[in-house]
Amino acid sequence: ISEISTPITVRKASSIRNEPARYMSWLCRAEISNGPVVCSDRTMATISAAMVKELRESTGAGMMDCKAALTETSGDMTAAQDWLRKKGLSKAAKKAGRVAAEGLIGAVTSGNKGVVVEVNSETDFVARNEQFQGLVKMIAQVALRNGADVEKIKAAKVGDVTVETAISDAIATIGENMSLRRAASLEVG
């Protein structure tokens, strides 16, 4: 950390646009006190298109969200994934109030037992989405193992996450509200 002894002047945004390297090469953090302004000589991480592409492929998030996450986390890929997950959860919470009346029915059978689940989305276009279809299949398979109680299905683990978390992640990625509405099972014999 170095100390600046010269006075700081406020510049127009146009001069910053004309000389971006000068203003982006170091970050300045002003502390309001009786002392001088303190600036750190830390450089900003260079975010490449390949990094954005890699994060986008691993998370399914939008390009600008990936770039913002990498910028916010100084290029750290795992921290950027966590940042996107947290942002996705807040997006899912915002969309929770929307009506989800379209969707898919998933049916799975095994031996003499069968399960049907209804997963709803806001529009029928999402029902054509491969990711949504995969989510419905996964939920139906979980229901076959755990029974037709919706709360038990939501609490069941799939890998290292719960079904409810998988639904929230899908909401953040696809951008529409989704819900597991109901499930029913039938056993013969």
Side-chain angles (χ1 to χ4, degrees), residues 174-185:
I174 295 173
E176 283 196 15
N177 188 23
M178 296 172 209
S179 65
L180 172 59
R181 183 167 180 218
R182 58 186 162 185
S185 64

Side-chain angles (χ1 to χ4, degrees), residues 25 32 35 38 55 59 86 90 144 151 178:
S25 63
I32 300 174
V38 177
L55 182 61
T59 62
K86 289 175 188 170
S90 67
L144 186 64
E151 294 306 315
M178 296 172 209

Side-chain angles (χ1 to χ4, degrees), residues 14-134:
S14 61
S15 64
I16 292 173
R17 268 186 256 121
N18 295 336
E19 306 174 58
R22 179 176 172 198
Y23 294 97
M24 308 264 307
S25 63
W26 52 273
L27 299 174
C28 185
R29 178 184 33 112
E31 294 180 1
I32 300 174
S33 64
N34 293 335
V37 174
V38 177
C39 291
S40 66
D41 292 330
R42 137 185 105 134
T43 58
M44 291 181 67
T46 305
I47 309 302
S48 67
M51 291 171 70
V52 173
K53 181 181 178 187
E54 181 183 344
L55 182 61
R56 185 163 191 235
E57 288 173 353
S58 68
T59 62
M63 186 170 49
M64 294 308 290
D65 288 337
C66 290
K67 184 175 179 183
L70 286 167
T71 303
E72 190 72 25
T73 60
S74 300
D76 184 7
M77 197 65 70
T78 55
Q81 289 174 342
D82 290 339
W83 188 87
L84 284 169
R85 189 172 296 115
K86 289 175 188 170
K87 184 177 179 194
L89 291 176
S90 67
K91 277 185 179 180
K94 287 179 187 175
K95 293 173 196 259
R98 295 191 197 168
V99 175
E102 302 294 329
L104 282 178
I105 303 288
V108 176
T109 60
S110 176
N112 61 349
K113 185 177 181 183
V115 172
V116 178
V117 296
E118 179 182 348
V119 182
N120 290 349
S121 63
E122 291 179 44
T123 62
D124 59 339
F125 296 109
V126 172
R128 298 181 198 141
N129 183 325
E130 287 181 26
Q131 183 181 359
F132 183 73
Q133 291 173 355

Side-chain angles (χ1 to χ4, degrees), residues 138-152:
M138 181 265 306
I139 292 172
Q141 291 169 349
V142 169
L144 186 64
R145 285 194 317 264
N146 297 322
D149 183 24
V150 173
E151 294 306 315
K152 283 185 182 177

